[in-house]
Amino acid sequence: MFALVAALLFVLALVFEIAGLAVGSVVTVATLGTAGLLCVALHLMGVGAGWSVLKK
């Protein structure tokens, strides 16, 4: 799930960069890129995988 969110954030960052857009001073290409990298890191850690192995 986090990989999908990261891909969406990267696409938005690319569109913002090409169009030269920014939503205020908070949502910029850099913040979208950083949020995308955070989602990739969470995905690689296994957060939100949706299943776990229970050992007895």
Side-chain angles (χ1 to χ4, degrees), residues 36-52:
L37 289 173
L38 174 66
C39 289
V40 168
L42 289 172
H43 171 72
L44 291 175
M45 284 176 40
V47 175
W51 61 274
S52 65

Side-chain angles (χ1 to χ4, degrees), residues 5 8 19 33:
V5 172
L8 178 65

Side-chain angles (χ1 to χ4, degrees), residues 21-41:
L21 296 175
V23 180
S25 62
V26 177
V27 181
T28 63
V29 174
T31 56
L32 289 173
T34 303
L37 289 173
L38 174 66
C39 289
V40 168

